[in-house]
Amino acid sequence: MIDLSWVIDPIYIATIFFFIVGLQRMSHPLTARSGIVWAGAAMVIATLVTFLTPNLTNFALMAIGIVIGGGFGYIAAKRVAMTGMPQMVALFNGMGGGAAAGISAVELLGITTSATTSSLAVIGGLIGAVSFAGSIIAFMKLQGWMRPRPITFPGQKILNMAVFALAVVSGILVVMQPSWVPLAVTLYLPLFFVLSLGFGLLMTLPIGGADMPVVISMYNAFTGLAVALDGFSFATPNYAMVVAGIIVGAAGSLLTLNMARAMNRSITNVFFGAFGATEETGVEIKGSMKAIEADDVAVMLAYADKVIIAPGYGMAVAQAQQKVKELTDLLESKNIPVKFAIHPVAGRMPGHMNVLLAEAGVGYDHLFDRDEINPEFPATDVVLVIGANDTVNPASHRQGSPLFGMPILDVEQAKNVIVLKRGQGKGFAGIENDLFYRDNTRMLYGDAQETVGKLVQALKKL
């Protein structure tokens, strides 16, 4: 058989270049699709060239794993609705963390591992297991299989730290006593992974749905870091894993920090603050919610000089993005400019609103982030808030509110605010929205897709 092992490292280096190009192109919505293609091609090449590894005999198991995993991923990606995208991202990211933990386990079972490679494998296994368990809890909360609000109990933080400390101690014992020693195989290694998984589960339970964008991003960074450490833990380092893992870890970390900054909160507060565990009480908001009909809103829009749309997760639930695009086109055909105000944490994952609107064909030049659009609200005739809640809540300006200090979209400064909402419920944070009671706010109740459709029909008659 011809030895082609010499081509492995050069091809791995080429895939690293593809990963970097893909990531760079993903940084802009106009090139994001091609960026995914570049990164996907790199992963396919890196996977195929692995079959050329010397002394590799488990080709059948590798092929079976690729077929099952790839088949499941393809079917799930084709079938998932955009409303289910956040939980799918959480689930797939968890699978990456679980795979990293599995690689660590295999490496720790090898008799040729040194103290250095074992230490790296233990750290990678700990981070990967935490990412796996935490991502599964995030998936279950987003999917509605668990209550989305924080789950807390007395002594929770002490228990979490105790489980983490025991996981670290058991990991040290695995390194100190080689895994091929029976005691390490039968006791320390299984205990290490059970405790690591337990810590990931316990750490995620007190995190509420309002913080899911940050959680998903953080566990994505964890998975990347675990993969990079696993790449170093091999007797011959796998530099494709190392570089790809570092890129994912760095990108996820930066995104996590940006998400936390967008909510004016620290990472420790997100993960240990149990935000939203209790509802705000003792606050009396003056005024009342005032309903309005679609025909009246259509008249307001027809005579507006400027319209801004602030979308939220409710738009995703109603799958109203296509109707919103139709409304935008209709308004612009009447020479009424329309802009979209995008809050960094609108929806349940980073960039959720951008993806939804791009899917509907809304041009990127229509999308503006919070800092760009906030100065324009005072001169705006009508703002349509479609399914957003916490990201437009003026309670963030009220001293003592759990939202205090969180930068929001200042829609309340517009001349008229129309809130499209199913009912009078509160957002993920469990805090009453002051905006709904303002004198310049009207509530258009109903399913967002239906109500936007009514607006379109009413506008066509004007």
Side-chain angles (χ1 to χ4, degrees), residues 188-246:
Y188 299 148
L189 191 59
L191 180 63
F192 165 71
F193 280 108
V194 168
L195 290 169
S196 299
L197 291 168
F199 177 67
L201 185 151
L202 291 170
M203 187 174 75
T204 314
L205 287 178
I207 303 175
D211 289 329
M212 278 305 137
V214 184
V215 174
I216 292 172
S217 179
M218 175 60 83
Y219 284 143
N220 180 59
F222 279 9
T223 296
L225 182 57
V227 169
L229 289 167
D230 282 348
F232 277 122
S233 70
F234 296 126
T236 301
N238 186 314
Y239 294 111
M241 288 180 62
V242 171
V243 175
I246 290 174

Coordinates of all heavy atoms in Angstrom, one line a residue, residues 188-246:
Y188 N -11.4 6.5 39.0 CA -11.1 7.9 38.9 C -11.6 8.5 37.6 O -12.2 9.5 37.5 CB -9.6 8.1 38.9 CG -9.0 7.7 40.3 CD1 -7.6 7.3 40.3 CD2 -9.7 7.8 41.5 CE1 -7.1 6.9 41.5 CE2 -9.1 7.5 42.7 CZ -7.8 7.0 42.7 OH -7.2 6.7 43.9
L189 N -11.4 7.8 36.5 CA -11.8 8.3 35.2 C -13.3 8.4 35.0 O -13.8 9.5 34.7 CB -11.2 7.4 34.0 CG -11.4 8.0 32.6 CD1 -10.7 9.4 32.5 CD2 -10.8 7.1 31.6
P190 N -14.1 7.4 35.4 CA -15.6 7.5 35.3 C -16.1 8.6 36.3 O -17.0 9.4 35.9 CB -16.1 6.1 35.7 CG -15.0 5.2 35.4 CD -13.7 6.0 35.6
L191 N -15.5 8.6 37.5 CA -15.9 9.6 38.5 C -15.6 11.0 37.9 O -16.5 12.0 38.1 CB -15.2 9.4 39.8 CG -15.5 10.4 40.9 CD1 -16.9 10.3 41.3 CD2 -14.6 10.2 42.1
F192 N -14.5 11.2 37.3 CA -14.1 12.5 36.7 C -15.2 13.0 35.7 O -15.6 14.1 35.8 CB -12.8 12.4 36.1 CG -12.4 13.6 35.1 CD1 -12.2 14.8 35.7 CD2 -12.4 13.4 33.8 CE1 -11.9 15.9 34.8 CE2 -12.1 14.5 32.9 CZ -11.8 15.7 33.5
F193 N -15.6 12.1 34.8 CA -16.6 12.5 33.8 C -18.0 12.7 34.3 O -18.7 13.6 33.9 CB -16.6 11.5 32.6 CG -15.4 11.8 31.7 CD1 -14.4 10.9 31.6 CD2 -15.4 12.9 30.8 CE1 -13.3 11.1 30.7 CE2 -14.4 13.1 29.9 CZ -13.3 12.2 29.9
V194 N -18.3 11.9 35.3 CA -19.7 12.1 35.9 C -19.7 13.4 36.7 O -20.7 14.2 36.5 CB -19.9 10.9 36.9 CG1 -21.2 11.2 37.8 CG2 -20.2 9.6 36.2
L195 N -18.7 13.8 37.4 CA -18.7 15.0 38.1 C -18.6 16.2 37.1 O -19.2 17.2 37.4 CB -17.5 15.1 39.0 CG -17.5 14.1 40.3 CD1 -16.2 14.1 41.0 CD2 -18.6 14.6 41.2
S196 N -17.9 16.1 36.1 CA -17.8 17.1 35.1 C -19.1 17.4 34.4 O -19.6 18.5 34.2 CB -16.7 16.8 34.0 OG -15.4 16.6 34.6
L197 N -19.8 16.3 34.0 CA -21.1 16.4 33.5 C -22.1 17.0 34.5 O -22.9 17.9 34.1 CB -21.7 15.1 33.0 CG -20.9 14.5 31.8 CD1 -21.3 13.0 31.6 CD2 -21.3 15.2 30.5
G198 N -22.0 16.6 35.7 CA -22.8 17.1 36.8 C -22.7 18.6 37.0 O -23.6 19.4 37.2
F199 N -21.4 19.1 36.9 CA -21.1 20.5 37.1 C -21.7 21.3 35.9 O -22.3 22.4 36.1 CB -19.6 20.8 37.2 CG -19.3 22.2 37.3 CD1 -19.7 23.0 38.4 CD2 -18.7 22.9 36.2 CE1 -19.4 24.3 38.5 CE2 -18.4 24.2 36.3 CZ -18.7 24.9 37.5
G200 N -21.6 20.8 34.7 CA -22.2 21.5 33.6 C -23.7 21.6 33.7 O -24.3 22.7 33.4
L201 N -24.4 20.5 34.2 CA -25.8 20.6 34.4 C -26.2 21.6 35.5 O -27.1 22.4 35.3 CB -26.3 19.2 34.8 CG -27.8 18.9 35.0 CD1 -28.1 17.5 34.7 CD2 -28.2 19.2 36.4
L202 N -25.5 21.5 36.6 CA -25.8 22.4 37.8 C -25.5 23.8 37.4 O -26.3 24.7 37.9 CB -25.0 22.0 39.0 CG -25.4 20.6 39.6 CD1 -24.4 20.2 40.7 CD2 -26.8 20.7 40.3
M203 N -24.5 24.1 36.6 CA -24.2 25.5 36.3 C -25.2 26.1 35.4 O -25.4 27.3 35.4 CB -22.8 25.5 35.6 CG -22.2 26.9 35.4 SD -20.6 26.9 34.8 CE -20.8 26.5 33.1
T204 N -25.9 25.3 34.6 CA -26.8 25.9 33.6 C -28.3 26.0 34.2 O -29.0 26.8 33.7 CB -26.9 25.0 32.4 OG1 -25.5 24.7 32.0 CG2 -27.5 25.7 31.2
L205 N -28.6 25.2 35.2 CA -30.0 25.2 35.7 C -30.4 26.6 36.2 O -31.5 27.0 35.9 CB -30.1 24.2 36.9 CG -30.2 22.8 36.5 CD1 -30.3 21.9 37.8 CD2 -31.4 22.5 35.6
P206 N -29.5 27.4 36.9 CA -30.0 28.7 37.4 C -30.0 29.8 36.3 O -30.1 31.0 36.6 CB -29.0 29.0 38.5 CG -27.8 28.3 38.1 CD -28.2 27.1 37.4
I207 N -29.7 29.5 35.1 CA -29.7 30.5 34.0 C -31.0 30.5 33.3 O -31.5 29.5 32.8 CB -28.5 30.2 33.0 CG1 -27.2 30.1 33.8 CG2 -28.5 31.3 31.9 CD1 -26.0 29.8 32.9
G208 N -31.6 31.7 33.2 CA -32.9 31.8 32.6 C -32.9 32.0 31.1 O -31.8 32.3 30.5
G209 N -34.1 32.0 30.5 CA -34.2 32.1 29.0 C -33.7 33.4 28.5 O -33.2 33.5 27.3
A210 N -33.8 34.5 29.3 CA -33.3 35.8 28.8 C -31.8 35.9 28.6 O -31.4 36.7 27.8 CB -33.7 36.9 29.9
D211 N -31.1 34.9 29.2 CA -29.6 34.9 29.0 C -29.2 33.9 28.0 O -28.0 33.6 27.9 CB -29.0 34.7 30.4 CG -29.1 35.9 31.3 OD1 -29.1 37.0 30.8 OD2 -29.2 35.7 32.5
M212 N -30.1 33.2 27.4 CA -29.7 32.1 26.5 C -28.7 32.5 25.4 O -27.8 31.7 25.0 CB -30.9 31.4 25.9 CG -31.5 30.4 26.8 SD -30.3 29.1 27.3 CE -30.7 29.0 29.1
P213 N -28.8 33.7 24.8 CA -27.9 34.1 23.7 C -26.4 34.1 24.3 O -25.5 33.6 23.6 CB -28.3 35.5 23.4 CG -29.7 35.6 23.7 CD -29.9 34.7 24.9
V214 N -26.2 34.5 25.5 CA -24.9 34.5 26.1 C -24.5 33.1 26.4 O -23.3 32.7 26.2 CB -24.9 35.4 27.4 CG1 -23.5 35.5 28.0 CG2 -25.4 36.8 27.1
V215 N -25.4 32.3 26.9 CA -25.0 30.9 27.3 C -24.6 30.1 26.1 O -23.6 29.4 26.1 CB -26.2 30.2 28.0 CG1 -26.0 28.8 28.2 CG2 -26.6 30.9 29.3
I216 N -25.4 30.2 25.0 CA -25.1 29.5 23.8 C -23.7 29.9 23.3 O -22.9 29.1 22.9 CB -26.1 29.7 22.7 CG1 -27.5 29.1 23.1 CG2 -25.7 29.2 21.4 CD1 -28.6 29.4 22.2
S217 N -23.4 31.2 23.3 CA -22.1 31.7 22.8 C -21.0 31.2 23.7 O -19.9 30.8 23.2 CB -22.2 33.2 22.8 OG -20.9 33.7 22.4
M218 N -21.2 31.2 25.0 CA -20.1 30.8 25.9 C -19.8 29.3 25.8 O -18.7 28.9 25.7 CB -20.6 31.1 27.4 CG -19.6 30.5 28.4 SD -17.9 31.2 28.3 CE -18.1 32.8 29.2
Y219 N -20.8 28.5 25.7 CA -20.6 27.0 25.5 C -20.0 26.7 24.1 O -19.2 25.7 24.0 CB -21.9 26.2 25.7 CG -22.3 26.1 27.2 CD1 -23.6 26.2 27.6 CD2 -21.3 26.0 28.2 CE1 -23.9 26.1 28.9 CE2 -21.6 25.9 29.5 CZ -22.9 25.9 29.9 OH -23.3 25.8 31.2
N220 N -20.3 27.6 23.2 CA -19.6 27.4 21.9 C -18.1 27.7 22.1 O -17.2 26.9 21.5 CB -20.2 28.4 20.9 CG -19.5 28.3 19.5 OD1 -19.5 27.3 18.9 ND2 -18.9 29.4 19.1
A221 N -17.7 28.7 22.8 CA -16.3 29.0 23.1 C -15.7 27.8 23.9 O -14.5 27.4 23.6 CB -16.2 30.3 23.9
F222 N -16.4 27.2 24.9 CA -16.0 26.1 25.6 C -15.6 24.9 24.7 O -14.6 24.3 24.9 CB -17.0 25.7 26.6 CG -17.0 26.5 27.9 CD1 -16.3 27.7 28.0 CD2 -17.8 26.1 29.0 CE1 -16.4 28.4 29.2 CE2 -17.9 26.9 30.1 CZ -17.1 28.0 30.2
T223 N -16.5 24.6 23.8 CA -16.3 23.5 22.8 C -15.0 23.7 22.0 O -14.2 22.8 21.8 CB -17.5 23.3 21.9 OG1 -18.7 23.0 22.7 CG2 -17.2 22.3 20.9
G224 N -14.9 25.0 21.5 CA -13.6 25.3 20.8 C -12.4 25.1 21.6 O -11.4 24.5 21.1
L225 N -12.4 25.5 22.8 CA -11.2 25.4 23.7 C -11.0 23.9 24.0 O -9.8 23.5 24.0 CB -11.5 26.1 25.0 CG -10.4 26.1 26.0 CD1 -9.1 26.7 25.4 CD2 -10.8 26.9 27.3
A226 N -12.0 23.1 24.2 CA -11.8 21.7 24.5 C -11.2 21.0 23.3 O -10.3 20.1 23.4 CB -13.2 21.0 24.8
V227 N -11.7 21.3 22.1 CA -11.1 20.7 20.9 C -9.7 21.1 20.7 O -8.8 20.2 20.3 CB -11.9 21.2 19.6 CG1 -11.2 20.8 18.3 CG2 -13.3 20.6 19.7
A228 N -9.3 22.3 21.0 CA -7.9 22.8 20.9 C -7.0 22.0 21.8 O -5.9 21.5 21.5 CB -7.8 24.3 21.1
L229 N -7.5 21.8 23.1 CA -6.7 21.1 24.1 C -6.6 19.6 23.7 O -5.5 19.0 23.9 CB -7.4 21.2 25.4 CG -7.2 22.6 26.1 CD1 -8.2 22.7 27.3 CD2 -5.8 22.9 26.5
D230 N -7.6 19.0 23.1 CA -7.5 17.7 22.6 C -6.5 17.5 21.5 O -5.8 16.5 21.4 CB -8.9 17.2 22.1 CG -9.8 16.8 23.3 OD1 -9.4 16.7 24.4 OD2 -11.0 16.7 23.0
G231 N -6.5 18.5 20.6 CA -5.5 18.5 19.6 C -4.0 18.5 20.1 O -3.2 17.8 19.5
F232 N -3.8 19.1 21.2 CA -2.5 19.1 21.8 C -2.2 17.8 22.6 O -1.0 17.5 22.9 CB -2.3 20.3 22.8 CG -1.9 21.6 22.1 CD1 -2.7 22.7 22.2 CD2 -0.7 21.6 21.4 CE1 -2.3 23.9 21.6 CE2 -0.4 22.8 20.7 CZ -1.1 23.9 20.9
S233 N -3.3 17.1 23.0 CA -3.1 15.9 23.9 C -2.6 14.7 23.2 O -2.2 13.7 23.8 CB -4.4 15.6 24.6 OG -5.4 15.1 23.7
F234 N -2.7 14.7 21.8 CA -2.2 13.5 21.1 C -0.7 13.5 21.1 O 0.0 14.5 21.4 CB -2.6 13.6 19.6 CG -4.1 13.6 19.3 CD1 -4.7 14.6 18.6 CD2 -4.8 12.5 19.9 CE1 -6.1 14.5 18.4 CE2 -6.2 12.5 19.7 CZ -6.8 13.5 18.9
A235 N -0.1 12.2 21.0 CA 1.3 12.0 21.0 C 1.9 12.9 19.9 O 3.0 13.5 20.1 CB 1.7 10.6 20.7
T236 N 1.3 13.0 18.7 CA 1.7 13.9 17.7 C 0.5 14.9 17.5 O -0.6 14.5 17.1 CB 1.9 13.2 16.3 OG1 2.9 12.2 16.4 CG2 2.3 14.2 15.2
P237 N 0.7 16.2 17.9 CA -0.4 17.1 17.9 C -1.1 17.2 16.6 O -0.5 17.2 15.5 CB 0.3 18.5 18.3 CG 1.6 18.0 19.0 CD 2.0 16.7 18.4
N238 N -2.4 17.4 16.7 CA -3.2 17.6 15.5 C -3.5 19.1 15.3 O -4.3 19.6 16.0 CB -4.6 16.8 15.6 CG -5.4 16.9 14.4 OD1 -5.6 17.9 13.8 ND2 -5.9 15.7 14.0
Y239 N -2.7 19.7 14.5 CA -2.7 21.2 14.4 C -4.0 21.7 13.8 O -4.4 22.8 14.0 CB -1.5 21.7 13.7 CG -0.2 21.4 14.4 CD1 0.7 20.5 14.0 CD2 0.0 22.0 15.6 CE1 1.9 20.2 14.7 CE2 1.2 21.8 16.3 CZ 2.1 20.8 15.9 OH 3.2 20.6 16.6
A240 N -4.7 20.9 13.0 CA -6.0 21.3 12.4 C -7.0 21.5 13.6 O -7.7 22.5 13.6 CB -6.5 20.3 11.4
M241 N -7.0 20.5 14.5 CA -7.9 20.6 15.6 C -7.5 21.8 16.5 O -8.3 22.6 17.0 CB -7.8 19.3 16.5 CG -8.5 18.2 15.8 SD -8.4 16.7 16.9 CE -9.3 17.2 18.3
V242 N -6.2 22.0 16.7 CA -5.7 23.1 17.6 C -6.1 24.4 17.0 O -6.7 25.2 17.7 CB -4.2 23.0 17.7 CG1 -3.7 24.3 18.4 CG2 -3.7 21.8 18.5
V243 N -5.8 24.7 15.8 CA -6.1 26.0 15.2 C -7.6 26.2 15.1 O -8.2 27.3 15.4 CB -5.5 26.2 13.8 CG1 -5.9 27.5 13.2 CG2 -4.0 26.1 14.0
A244 N -8.4 25.2 14.6 CA -9.8 25.4 14.5 C -10.5 25.6 15.8 O -11.4 26.4 16.0 CB -10.4 24.1 13.8
G245 N -10.0 24.8 16.8 CA -10.5 25.0 18.2 C -10.2 26.4 18.8 O -11.1 27.0 19.4
I246 N -9.0 26.9 18.5 CA -8.6 28.2 19.0 C -9.5 29.3 18.3 O -10.0 30.2 19.0 CB -7.1 28.5 18.8 CG1 -6.3 27.6 19.7 CG2 -6.8 29.9 19.0 CD1 -4.8 27.7 19.5

